[in-house]
Each structure stands twice: as structure tokens, then as C-alpha cells.
Amino acid sequence: MAGNTFGQIFRYTSFGESHGSAMGGVIDGCPAGISIDMESIHADLQRRRPGSSGPSTRRKEADVPQFLSGLIDETTTGAPIAFIIPNEDARPQDYNHLKDIYRPSHADFTYHQKYKIDDHRLVHRASARETAGRVVAGGIAKQIIAGSGMQIAAYTSGIGRFKLEGDFTFSELEQAKLSKMQCPDENLSEQMESYLDELKKEGDSIGCEVRAVITGVPAGLGEPVFAKLHAGLAAAMMSINAAVAFDYGSGSFAADMKGSEYNDLFTVHNGHVRTASNNSGGIQAGISNGEDILFRVVFKPIPTIMKPQKTVNREGKPVIIEGKGRHDVCAAPRVVPVVEAMAALVIADHLLLSKSVRL
Amino acid sequence: MAGNTFGQIFRYTSFGESHGSAMGGVIDGCPAGISIDMESIHADLQRRRPGSSGPSTRRKEADVPQFLSGLIDETTTGAPIAFIIPNEDARPQDYNHLKDIYRPSHADFTYHQKYKIDDHRLVHRASARETAGRVVAGGIAKQIIAGSGMQIAAYTSGIGRFKLEGDFTFSELEQAKLSKMQCPDENLSEQMESYLDELKKEGDSIGCEVRAVITGVPAGLGEPVFAKLHAGLAAAMMSINAAVAFDYGSGSFAADMKGSEYNDLFTVHNGHVRTASNNSGGIQAGISNGEDILFRVVFKPIPTIMKPQKTVNREGKPVIIEGKGRHDVCAAPRVVPVVEAMAALVIADHLLLSKSVRL
Amino acid sequence: MAGNTFGQIFRYTSFGESHGSAMGGVIDGCPAGISIDMESIHADLQRRRPGSSGPSTRRKEADVPQFLSGLIDETTTGAPIAFIIPNEDARPQDYNHLKDIYRPSHADFTYHQKYKIDDHRLVHRASARETAGRVVAGGIAKQIIAGSGMQIAAYTSGIGRFKLEGDFTFSELEQAKLSKMQCPDENLSEQMESYLDELKKEGDSIGCEVRAVITGVPAGLGEPVFAKLHAGLAAAMMSINAAVAFDYGSGSFAADMKGSEYNDLFTVHNGHVRTASNNSGGIQAGISNGEDILFRVVFKPIPTIMKPQKTVNREGKPVIIEGKGRHDVCAAPRVVPVVEAMAALVIADHLLLSKSVRL
Amino acid sequence: MAGNTFGQIFRYTSFGESHGSAMGGVIDGCPAGISIDMESIHADLQRRRPGSSGPSTRRKEADVPQFLSGLIDETTTGAPIAFIIPNEDARPQDYNHLKDIYRPSHADFTYHQKYKIDDHRLVHRASARETAGRVVAGGIAKQIIAGSGMQIAAYTSGIGRFKLEGDFTFSELEQAKLSKMQCPDENLSEQMESYLDELKKEGDSIGCEVRAVITGVPAGLGEPVFAKLHAGLAAAMMSINAAVAFDYGSGSFAADMKGSEYNDLFTVHNGHVRTASNNSGGIQAGISNGEDILFRVVFKPIPTIMKPQKTVNREGKPVIIEGKGRHDVCAAPRVVPVVEAMAALVIADHLLLSKSVRL
């Protein structure tokens, strides 16, 4: 099948391998007449870059998308928006020593089983570099939904045992986008950073958790019974490399809660029907209720580690593998703008879909 | 949009309201020549029935699907399979006292906001009764994937603080399908049952957790980069009423794990490449790896409780609502076969999709 | 694949076999709040009925759809609208003498080759009776687009050598819907009718041509580059049993025309940009231009004839087949409301899609 | 909506404007392991080029697609195949004198009405140059279906009153691909060519007709009731710029034929069930029957002519427009490989879909 297109009427098609000439994508179904702020897309890409320490060290020369179509003077025309992000430092030969080896918890084995192509470059499609294109497409989606008053902020809420506590205002979360760890708590960020340094020395990696808030959402987004808003968010998040868990609102805690604790009582505030709590994370019966949308994604540890691991090669012979080169030790903080981007794609699609619910 | 169809080439379209004449659905894209065992569909429907205590009390007269098309002598023909499940006890008038009230954490408010229909019967589409059709469609999907050696067993793994521990064989999980609580631990089941009775007396409800195992899965199912196998499972599960969290493999625990702990080392067993552990829950890089697929779904507490709750009506006036009538106090055990059904729909679709990956 | 769903966001799923218990369908993505006039749906169904001689002989007892969902007090709710049309006179045994025979230009051979089901009832899905459901769905679509001022009239424009000439006002075409031959020229209608009687005596059948006009179309419907409005109409029409040719505007005549003859010059009429001619049939570059949409569909002769024909059976043995029972001798006039219905489905879908082109 | 993707599981997404930096596309759902012959894609692109006089004058430097992804050593990997075709001679300023004018029968008016972008460059998406990408994608599709023994040949069958007569072998049609007019009759080709020269001097354009044959088709392709094989072909053909009519088999002639004349009698030939005639054009009940698929597409005259035409500008003021520059005077012969490409996309998609009809 075509698994590389996401969305129903605001559709993003992704292409590219990490060691090919370019990554890229095509956005179809984008409304006409939206003026695109390229700077904010660059800023998000910068947050996603390897070794990034926030926009302050922004290296302008890298990961700059080249738009090929769909824009006139940086305004959308309704035509498909195609872009490429050249792979300036593609070095497929760096992986030659691994070419016959199934790396543990990597794509090598499953891609080989599925596509039956005997070339280790096959898995360059499974690289996290593919998410750069998502950030571009999501950056456009963010600007579409901003027109209806919606804003998204994701943030690092846990790296290993270092968990974020407390509540933050949306503006504090926005501020955290400028920080290295993409986390609104400065002290915790420092601890996280030291921990990552320590793991790097150890040659190990660690799992993490990212939370997100979408604010300004109108009531009415989401399409029962299968295209519920949180079902779309779940699929979007689980399509990100290394994502292993999704929940929204009170999430997993709901398993232990009583109805009398969980239910969000309706009340009237300034003439608007609101809920007194937000255990539902802004979504009830699959449809946004006007409260902030809150969700969480858990990412497994990066599978590439520097410690020796036992595995097998394509011939089924046991081998010992040792990682080499420079790898992240944690999906966060780089995955944070990817979470935002995917959320934006979901919301933009549902915003457009909602236009046809009443004539 | 059309939110009532699920799947890419094995497609299930759902229809019906809980207090209309019938629930039902249409399965399109079903392969021809599959002989359908109606008994196993009935058995699954029985597990989903209100007040069910397992197949032993099976009331044959109720929730029996009537197949309208797509079968000759109970064998699929390739034509769309339509079925209805009559609503024999539809009593929309039972809800008349609620007709102007937004019940907390129910569909009343969001459906009203979205569809702008001023009739409380609007939300009868949001009823959990809609999942009966899913069990029928999923029952057919189960039989399709069984032809490729796959079997699914879901089970109640937690109700409030009563959590299931230990490992169970697939055959023990199969056996648990015959039990009232759909749980493989008899002692725990009794505690759960007492707890539910207690809550019923209290007039409260409780959240729960359901786990599932899919066994016999061939390596190679799943379509990167968006239609990853676990992304499909996540969307499927989150489309079930009251679902609030999804994870697979080690799930949320991965947030605290190191790569050296999480990675599933490859090994060779009886000439086959296998993994020594299964933290990946049978899915790597979005594609099945041949190990058992393991996932978990958390359900929030049933929103209807017998305790008085503060809410507002459609005019924004504060009112006190008190539940009436017979309602479940927990999504489990009745939701267990629904989890299986949705998983079967996902797997059947991916099985068919996988036929075109190599010519 | 799922070939039984039509449309992108206004979606119609069809089911049923001619000798099963019921035909039917599900409409998903229908906007909420549309009050449905059931009488006009019944009138269209009546025009499609066997032996119909127009609404005057309307037999109320037959082909009355039963709506199962999606309506409250005959108003759409946004939920899927399911309906069934019971097959009151199903007599699969009438075909028993044909059960091993491949009828020339029928579905027997291709369905057998595709689905590999050894039962002649397999082809009951290919019956023209399936179009009854399309008329119901199209009847709802007509009412949706009527809200934006659009009306559709199809008419019999040729039966064999009897071709309609001259121009007719939309109101004359509307009037023709009440006539037996669905043709606006009374004299020609009589000739057509005599000709059909003659063919019936001969035991032969004949091809025909149906034209259609859609009036009141706003400029802007159609989605380049693949979902052009006429591409959608073409697919819709060619999905009707026995359709073999589609053209729009000046159609096939365009092959012999020069640009200076064909081009529709723009002019201003009452302050609106209009075209002086309509060779483009209301569609330019795949998008409606505000002029009447004009198209034509050709249907092959009904394959069942009473004359003996040489064919083979499933074992590849030569046999002589002779038709039996009551069969139409021409797709027109009964196919006329089906053409309207399919056009309405296309236009309704594009109307909804157009809501998202500008925010 | 997303109107720029074609196909269900073998999906082609198109992008690019004629005066932007590049045209291009993405093919998703392509089976893995297909070795691509780039030469045959180049040859088809050459047939589509402006001023082409067949492969003999092939200018290698232009319209060479650059593949960005999805291939390893020119073999498909199952990943999306993206390519661009740079626009080396983009001169949007050439159209500046037209920027406020609605050219008759062009895209100016409808694109303006739909997208409401006040810039004449908007219509560069509607350029026939977009079909270059289709030829690339179709070239890959051709190679996929060739693996199942299928070959496609389209040819110019009429330019104005110059109509092709007689029957041609598939090999003669293959041979015609090397000729300037893409027509298997040399004498007629010369007449067509003189006629086109004459029209060019006149400053006028002309309509045309293209026929196509698909040979080696297995029985069983096509998905009732909406995704019939000819419905897919019709949609594909009508999505090509300037297409106005589609028919298959005996096509429009069927309107005047009796069943006893039209029906294709089954017979047995060398142990295979075959039809004695092929009025059905290889498709019965929407499914291929194993005979050659035959269809025809009519194209209207190119709208740009050098003669003065009356039209209006965006302000609704009458103006006289005169064409400038170099334009084709007829869609044929350049459109011939585009017809083949679109047919190949349809057939490849249905070939893949057919893999799931029986397990």
C-alpha cells in the first residue's frame, strides 16, 4: 500500500532516504491564500537538528527546505506544495561494516523480511531524518490552524527517571521552545542534560516522554466513530520513529480512577460552557470540546548504543555488534518539534473536514 | 468527512444508533472463498453483551446479526458483506428526562456543538452499542487472518487497583474468553467482580485496562512511514468508546529504560531468527517481526454514574444530574472482544496490503 | 480492494445482490441538518422501476427504502445514513437452467474468473437492481446540492437510430421526467416506444444514449489535476451497468473542430462573466465555470436477448443459450434517474470538498 | 481536497508548475524488487516533448527525470519513488501581457474563481507540462505490468477529418511509437502532418482522437461496482488536459447496435475460453476478460490560437486577445505517451488490488 501519505484532505506525502540525495514531501489539499512565514519553519527545523542547542546556534546553511511548487511569493495557491531538503552529508559507506548485521531493535530485520531487498541501504528510509520533512509540512499546518486561533506546544516531560512536575502556562511552554532541552523547568533541564552526557560516556541510551498542549481549539473537531480526534492523534504520534505509547488527558491514570473523580463537570464561565477539570484532555466522544487538548507520547531508548550487543547476521550467524560514530542518546529533545508537527497535520486536516459538517 | 469507514482495502463501514431500528455495518474488500463460522461470531457477540456472564448464559435470541449480502452458503463471495443487528429494546423515551442536559464526560455537549442538531437522540450514535457491529466485522477478520495462522486474545488486565500480574500462555488467555471477567487469573477475577458489585452499590464507576496478544504473525506486516502496524493498532483502539491510552510491547515503561535494557537481541532458534526478549511487542520500525504482538489499552471510567453531579443544560443553566437505570460500571469485561475485533480488522487489512509488496 | 464505496467525503457504500434479501447502502459524510423530502426519492425510484410508465402508475408498495439510521424526523444528523430496499420477489431458482453457462457479454465469465466461486448466484451482485440504491443515495445528494441552487435533469436522447434533436429548456427536461420514455420530444418518444415493442417481439435489444444537464452550478467545483470535475463524472457514469461511452460539452465532435470554432469566448452578461457558447459543457480545466454542465452517456444493448446464441459452459463445452422471462430491451428509459443520481453524488462530493479551498 | 494523487494502492502524486523550478511526482506503493529500465522512460518522455519528431531526434539533455528516492541501483525498494524534472526554460514573464486576461477555454477564469489568487501564474499548474511527470510514473507502471505480460500501445487515430481506418497488429502499433505522428499509417501520417502545418500557418488548432490497446491482460482485473476497470480508465483519461470523450470497445457505436450484433459470443480456442468478437473491448461487467483492452480518447483543439479572439479581462472589460509564441496546434501526437502512462497507472493499481481477491 501507500503508507507514505498522511491525512484525508490535508495530505502530506513523504519521501527520501537518509543517505540519498534528498528528503522531501508534498502537501496536497492546502487551502489557497495562506501566507507562509518561512522563518518559523526554519526555527522548528533548527529545534530538530542534530547537536542543536536551540535557535541560538542556528546554522543557516543546513536543513533549509527548497520549495518547488505550490507557492507564489510565499503564499499558497491551492496547488500541491513540494519541497526537498538536500542530504548534504550523505555517507552510506559509513554503514558498510554493518551491512550484513541485524542491529537489535532496528529496522534491519523487518525491512529485510518485508521488502526482501538484499542491501543494507534499504533501511535508510527508516531513519529519523525522515521526520525533517514532517517538520516542514507541520510548519505549514501550524500556520493554517493559527488562522483559527490554535497554537501547539510540545515539551520534554521526562528523560529516564527525570520527570517534569507541576503545571506550566502556555506561554512558559512557548518559551521552552528556545531552550536546549525543550523543557520548561530549567533545573530539571540541567539534570537531564548531565544525565544524557553521562549516558553518552557509558555508551548507552534512554527512553523519554513528551507532552503537548493545543490551545485555542474550537469545539467540534473530530469525526466519529473511527476518525475520532484522539484516534488521529494516536496514529500520528505512533508513526514517529521510536514512539511506543500514547495517551491523552489523564491518560493511563484513568485506569485507576472512579467516574466521580474523572468526569469533567460542565460549568458556565463568562457565558461559555466550560469544564471544571480537563481529565478528558479537551476531547469527548472523539470531538474537541473547546478545552486545551493535552496528550503524551513515550519514546523508547534509541536502539543504537556503543556497548557491545549480541545479535545475528543475515546468514543467521551470531555476531557481536558495537556502535560507532555520533548518535543521539535520547529521542528528546529533538523529537519535540516532530510531535508538534504531526499534531498540526492532524488538526489541520480535521479543521478542513469540519467545514463540511453543516452547509 | 466520512469517519465511519475503517481500513484501506479490507474496509468496515459502521452505521446505526442505539435507539434506532438497527445497528449494522458493511465489510468491503473481503477476499472471496472464506467459509465463515457463524458460531464463533455469536460467541464473541455474547462476550460483549450486557449482563453477560460468559457463553454459559448465552441468550441466543439477542444480538444475532442478520447477513444481507456478500455470502453464499456462509462463504464469502468478494461482494460487500452487509449485516444488521436489530435493536430489539430501543426505548429512546428513557432519556427524555435528560434531553436538555449536558451529561459530564458524555457526548452530549460535543455532538451538539459539532452537528448543531437540537435533539438529544443525536448522541445515540455515540453509544457503546455501536461496537456490536465491530465484533461482527472483526469476527470475519479473525477468520481471514486465522487462515494465515494468526490468533488474537485480549483479556482484562486491570480494573481499578486490581491489576493482573504474571505471564500467561496463549492457551490460558484463550480459556479466559469463557470466563465472566475475561481475565485469566481466577482469584483476581473474583476480587474484580466483588469490587464492581461494590461500586454498583456506591453508584460509581471505574477505569480499566485490557491487554492483547496476537500470535502467529508473519514478519512483514505494516507500511512505513505512516501506516506502521502499531499506528494502525493505536488508531483502532483509540476509536473504541472510552479508550484513553495505548501502548505496545514494554510500552510506557520504555520511558525509564536504557537501550541496553530495552533492545531485543537477535538470536537463532530452530533455524529461525528470533528475539531473545520482546520489549518491542512484535513490531520493529512499524513492521511485524514474527514475535507475538503485545499491546495494552486503558479505558476511562464509564461516565454515567448514579451519584449526583453538577452540570449545565443547553441553556447554560446549572442543574444536578443523577443517573438512572442499568449501566455498566466498567468498560471491562465487555470491551474485551471489541479490542480483539478492532485488532483483527487492522491485521486483516495489513495482511491483504502485504500481498502487493513483492510481485 | 474496496470497490463498493464512491466519493471522497460524501461517500456512498453499496451492498446487496438481486436475489438476496435486500439491496441497500450507506451514505457517510452527509452534512447535518438537511431535511429530506422522501417523496422525491420515491418518485426517482419509481422512474427506475421495471415496467414503469412514469409516476402515474407508481406502485407504492415496491422499492420503498427503509432508512435504518442517520435521520431524526427525516432530517440528517451527520451520522451515516443506512437504508435497505427489500428484494420482495427474489427467485434465484429462475436462473438454475443457466447455472453452468457463460452468457455472452454478461458478468458470468469475468466474475467466475475473478472470484473463483463456483456458484451462478455470484453474479447477482452485477445486476442492474444494484442501481436502485444509487437512486436513493443520489436522491439525498440532489437535495444537498439543491440547497446551493443546483438541479439535474437527464433524459433519453437516443434509442438506436431514433435520436433526439433540437434544444430544450431545463423546464422541458424536468417535465420529461414524468413521461414514460424520459424524453422531452413526444413524437420521438412514441417512435422509440414502438421500436422497443418491435424489438421485444424480435427477441432482441438495443443500445441507447442519455444526456444530462446540471444547472445552477457555482464556478469553482473540481479538483485538479486528477479529480477534475469531468473525470469524476466520467468515473461515475462508467460505473453504471452497460455504460460504454462518456463525453461532455461538444464531446466527440471536438475531434473535428478547430480552436476558433470550439473556444468559448468570454463575455459579460448582467455584470457576470459568462461564455458566449458552451462547447466546454460548463467545465474548463477540470473546474466548473458557472455555465450549465452538459454530458452524455452511451449504453450498450442489454445483453440478455431471446434469440438463440452460441456460447460455452464452465467446462468449455459449446452450448446454445436462449433467454427466458421478462427483460428490458434497452437501458433507457430506466437508467435515466440512475444517471442523475450518480451525477448528484459527484457534485455533492465536490461541493463539500470546495468548502476547504479557502479558509 | 487532495486532487493530486491518483490510484488506490499504487499511487502517483503530482506536483509542479510549468514556470516554477521543477515538475515532479512521487510514486507510493510500488512493489519492491522491480529493476527499472530508465531508457524506456526516457524514450516515452522523448515522444512527449515539444517539437519532437520521434526518438531519432532525441535530445538527451532535456526532460531527464532526476530520481531522489525509492531506488537502489535502479531497482525499486518499496519506498516512495520521488523524481523531479527541472524546468530549464521557465519564463513566466512571457505571459505578462496576458496577466489580466481570461483566455477563452483556458484555465484562467476557473482557477481564478476557485482559488481566488490574483496572479496569472496561478494557472501554471494547469499546463500540459504537468503530464511529463505522468509519463515518468506511467513508465514505471508499464514495467510493473510487463512482468505480468501486459503491454500498452496508444496511437494517433484521428486529427480533424483525417481518421485512421483499418486494423493494425500490436507490433505495428509498437512500431508507430517511433514515428513522428505516432500513427501506424504512413500515408495518413503525412496528410496529418501537412494539415497541422497548414493550421499553424492559419493560426488555428484542431481536435484529435487517440486509441489504445492493452494486450496480455489477465482475466479478473477490476473492482465492482464503482471501481470497474473502464471507470478507472475513464477517470484517468479525462484527467488529461483537453480530454473530452472516452469510450471503450465499440464505444459510441453501441448506441445504435442490437444485442444480437454487440454481444461477444464465447468460444473455446486452444483450450481457453475466448470471445469471437471484442465489442466489449476486453472488459465485461467492469472486469477484464482476457481479451485486448481497447479504448479511445477524444481531445478538444488546443485553446491557444494565433487568431484574434474576443474575451474579457479580470475587470470584466472586453478585450481582444491574440496568441503569441510557439504552441502546439493539436494534442496529438504528443499526448499519445500520456494516454499510455495513465492507462499503465490504472492497470498497475488494479493488478496489485487483484492480489487480495483470493487468499
Side-chain angles (χ1 to χ4, degrees), chain B residues 109-122:
Chain B
F109 177 69
T110 54
Y111 267 59
H112 191 207
Q113 292 294 309
K114 183 178 186 70
Y115 299 108
K116 304 196 194 311
I117 300 286
D118 252 324
D119 191 303
H120 70 289
R121 288 174 291 175
L122 179 68

Side-chain angles (χ1 to χ4, degrees), chain C residues 197-264:
Chain C
D197 285 344
E198 199 179 298
L199 284 164
K200 186 180 284 288
K201 280 175 206 146
E202 256 182 58
D204 215 331
S205 65
I206 188 74
C208 65
E209 182 191 289
V210 171
R211 289 180 181 272
V213 179
I214 315 176
T215 194
V217 185
L221 305 187
E223 301 292 332
V225 294
F226 296 117
K228 286 171 174 158
L229 192 54
H230 56 280
L233 288 169
M237 296 308 139
M238 296 309 270
S239 80
I240 302 173
N241 286 15
V244 293
F246 168 87
D247 62 23
Y248 76 103
S250 295
S252 301
F253 293 108
D256 291 354
M257 291 169 82
K258 292 184 176 178
S260 56
E261 296 167 311
Y262 185 94
N263 282 354
D264 293 319

Side-chain angles (χ1 to χ4, degrees), chain B residues 2 4 11 17 28 70 72 121, chain C residues 2 4 11 17 28 70 121:
Chain B
N4 294 287
R11 295 167 71 84
E17 292 97 34
D28 197 15
I72 292 180
R121 288 174 291 175
Chain C
N4 294 287
R11 295 165 71 84
E17 293 96 33
D28 196 14
R121 289 173 289 175

Side-chain angles (χ1 to χ4, degrees), chain B residues 100-113:
Chain B
D100 292 326
I101 295 177
Y102 291 142
R103 289 169 293 167
S105 291
H106 259 284
D108 303 315
F109 177 69
T110 54
Y111 267 59
H112 191 207
Q113 292 294 309

